[in-house]
Amino acid sequence: MEADTASEGPVSGELVSVAHALSLPAEHYGNDPDIEMAWAMRAMQHAEVYYKKWRPFCLKFDGIIEDFNYGTLLRLDCSQGYTEENTIFAPRIQFFAIEIARNREGHNKAVYSSMQDKEGEKRADKGGLKESKTEESKEGENGRADKEKE
């Protein structure tokens, strides 16, 4: 048992020291290559987890969805627009999967409603009179059609 803890000791100690170093404020360091390497290793760990979670899913669409593997922009929070803080790069099929789920769960309704409001405002600005005349003429046509049925 002691042999196991002795062999794990340096690794555990190294991880603790790396964790401590990464928790200190950035102003505490200059361009220390060891710190940059620690951040790179952590980023690689995150990438591996991400890759193992999504890669098998993505490969199921090879030959089914055109350009399934191309990169695209994905909003982290679907109630907000594409901003630097709210946008990540993701495979296209992942974008499709997430957006379909958001649509099914109703998360994109706010975005759809706001777009409809903007479209309505544009129409009103361009020709509100034309729209109201069109609506009146439709009502008149419907009224005539109802009378003809009687």
Side-chain angles (χ1 to χ4, degrees):
M1 231 193 230
E2 289 181 28
D4 289 340
T5 57
S7 65
E8 290 179 10
V11 174
S12 298
E14 185 178 313
L15 290 176
V16 170
S17 66
V18 168
H20 174 70
L22 293 177
S23 68
L24 296 173
E27 296 82 27
H28 186 1
Y29 298 101
N31 288 336
D32 184 352
D34 293 333
I35 297 300
E36 291 178 16
M37 182 58 76
W39 278 110
M41 287 172 32
R42 188 76 173 139
M44 188 60 193
Q45 289 173 345
H46 281 285
E48 286 176 354
V49 169
Y50 173 83
Y51 192 77
K52 289 177 183 175
K53 187 174 163 194
W54 280 100
R55 196 66 192 154
F57 172 81
C58 292
L59 290 175
K60 290 179 182 178
F61 295 93
D62 189 10
I64 298 171
I65 304 291
E66 185 178 344
D67 300 334
F68 78 101
N69 207 26
Y70 278 29
T72 190
L73 298 177
L74 175 67
R75 294 172 296 142
L76 295 172
D77 181 351
C78 64
S79 67
Q80 299 177 12
Y82 286 95
T83 63
E84 185 176 342
E85 298 82 25
N86 193 43
T87 306
I88 62 170
F89 190 72
R92 184 170 289 165
I93 195 64
Q94 183 184 19
F95 168 83
F96 288 154
I98 290 171
E99 286 298 318
I100 289 169
R102 286 175 174 172
N103 287 334
R104 287 182 178 170
E105 294 175 4
H107 296 293
N108 283 334
K109 284 184 181 178
V111 174
Y112 178 77
S113 297
S114 69
M115 293 306 293
Q116 292 298 327
D117 291 345
K118 287 179 184 177
E119 297 266 331
E121 289 173 10
K122 285 181 185 177
R123 281 190 230 124
D125 289 343
K126 287 185 179 179
L129 293 176
K130 291 179 186 175
E131 264 190 38
S132 62
K133 288 182 182 177
T134 306
E135 291 299 322
E136 289 172 8
S137 64
K138 285 181 183 176
E139 288 174 10
E141 290 172 10
N142 289 340
R144 275 186 257 138
D146 290 341
K147 287 179 184 176
E148 290 174 6
K149 289 181 185 176
E150 294 173 355

